[in-house]
Amino acid sequence: MNAPNAENLLQVWEARHNAHPIRRALALLEVAAPDVGIEAWSAMPIGQRDARLLDLYETLFGSRLESVTHCPRCAETLETSFATGDIRLPLDETKLSKTFKFRKQGCSIEYRLPSSEDLLQVIATNDDPEDAQLQLLRRCVIEAKRAGKRQSPEQLPADVVDRLADEMARNDPAADVQIQLNCPVCGHVWNVAFDIVWHFWSALEDWAQRTLADVHLLARAYGWNEHVILGLSPTRRQHYIEMVRA
Ligand SMILES: [Zn+2]
């Protein structure tokens, strides 16, 4: 995946400043690979989308990820650092745009994996988590049959629905990456979900602030406009900044 140039990246940061994380994720991928198209990015299963975001993060910001959290047992503040390689799962290309079959208790269900578009639609029309799960199933279940008769997702036994949700998660493992944390004070060990979109946006915020400060410094010193300054390579920009500060 190619790194977007500084000007395009700043545009995404500005335009998606108040946007939902899903829309931020899609905008970042679209600017990095516009040839794929926003519709294809929106239709991609969440884990596959996130795997690509992780690659893009690495291209732009390097392989280190930092996390600050609190121990749920003793409330100690924990600063953890890990590498993109620690959480990257092998990407199964054969599961792209694929439908799956699931059989349980006489039910036969054909489904696809939830995508960003599915989640956006569910979020837009639902506040109740139970309704949201049902609505997501209505979108992702292509056909459900019980004893040969067609069923709507709400007609399926609750146990089958639960197993189906587990099966969907297993088929898109990168959608739920867990990191194990270990408290050095009380020894408590627990898992937290790793959220690539949150990490990405947080790194982008830092980068945007630094970049705007660079533009400010160089524009004032040399009278160059923002477009010209952003067009400089990072190395060349850094040299000018050092000369201004000398
Ligand atoms: Zn602790």
Side-chain angles (χ1 to χ4, degrees):
M1 190 168 283
N2 295 326
N5 67 38
E7 203 158 8
N8 288 342
L9 207 52
L10 265 184
Q11 269 168 12
V12 172
W13 167 76
E14 187 181 9
R16 299 294 174 188
H17 203 61
N18 293 315
H20 189 279
I22 296 173
R23 294 204 187 280
R24 289 177 171 177
L26 294 175
L28 287 165
L29 289 166
E30 196 193 8
V31 78
D35 49 316
V36 174
I38 190 73
E39 280 185 20
W41 286 123
S42 303
M44 187 174 285
I46 303 299
Q48 294 174 22
R49 179 204 76 186
D50 285 357
R52 284 159 174 86
L53 268 181
L54 189 66
D55 289 345
L56 183 59
Y57 177 97
E58 197 176 75
T59 304
L60 288 169
F61 306 119
S63 61
R64 294 316 297 172
L65 288 150
E66 316 285 337
S67 151
V68 179
T69 187
H70 297 281
C71 172
R73 188 193 278 169
C74 74
E76 174 75 9
T77 303
L78 251 74
E79 287 178 29
T80 328
S81 168
F82 49 101
T84 46
D86 297 338
I87 50 169
R88 181 178 284 112
L89 296 168
L91 193 59
D92 188 349
E93 296 284 345
T94 61
K95 287 184 176 166
L96 254 180
S97 314
K98 193 175 175 297
T99 63
F100 300 84
K101 286 246 167 73
F102 174 70
R103 288 175 212 280
K104 189 88 193 160
Q105 293 178 19
C107 299
S108 160
I109 301 157
E110 187 181 5
Y111 70 93
R112 58 177 179 77
L113 296 171
S115 66
S116 301
E117 180 60 26
D118 294 321
L119 295 185
L120 283 172
Q121 291 290 339
V122 170
I123 289 162
T125 53
N126 244 307
D127 292 329
D128 180 344
E130 265 182 44
D131 287 352
Q133 197 203 16
L134 194 59
Q135 201 185 335
L136 195 61
L137 276 186
R138 274 198 217 109
R139 292 185 61 88
C140 294
V141 168
I142 297 158
E143 189 180 70
K145 283 184 175 171
R146 191 179 186 189
K149 285 174 79 177
R150 283 190 78 143
Q151 307 266 292
S152 63
E154 47 269 66
Q155 288 173 306
L156 293 169
D159 185 40
V160 172
V161 170
D162 288 349
R163 294 296 179 86
L164 175 62
D166 293 346
E167 168 91 0
M168 282 176 154
R170 258 198 305 280
N171 276 322
D172 198 19
D176 183 24
V177 175
Q178 299 279 323
I179 315 164
Q180 193 179 74
L181 296 176
N182 195 336
C183 177
V185 175
C186 74
H188 185 55
V189 179
W190 76 105
N191 283 343
V192 289
F194 170 74
D195 183 349
I196 180 61
V197 184
W198 184 90
H199 277 275
F200 204 127
W201 203 263
S202 162
L204 185 69
E205 287 277 4
D206 291 348
W207 170 86
Q209 299 299 342
R210 287 196 308 273
T211 303
L212 292 183
D214 290 354
V215 170
H216 171 73
L217 191 73
L218 294 178
R220 213 158 61 161
Y222 296 107
W224 299 335
N225 67 32
E226 186 189 61
H227 177 72
V228 168
I229 296 167
L230 292 177
L232 295 170
S233 70
T235 311
R236 204 181 283 193
R237 203 193 302 162
Q238 197 51 42
H239 276 286
Y240 283 118
I241 288 166
E242 280 164 22
M243 282 188 272
V244 170
R245 287 187 176 142

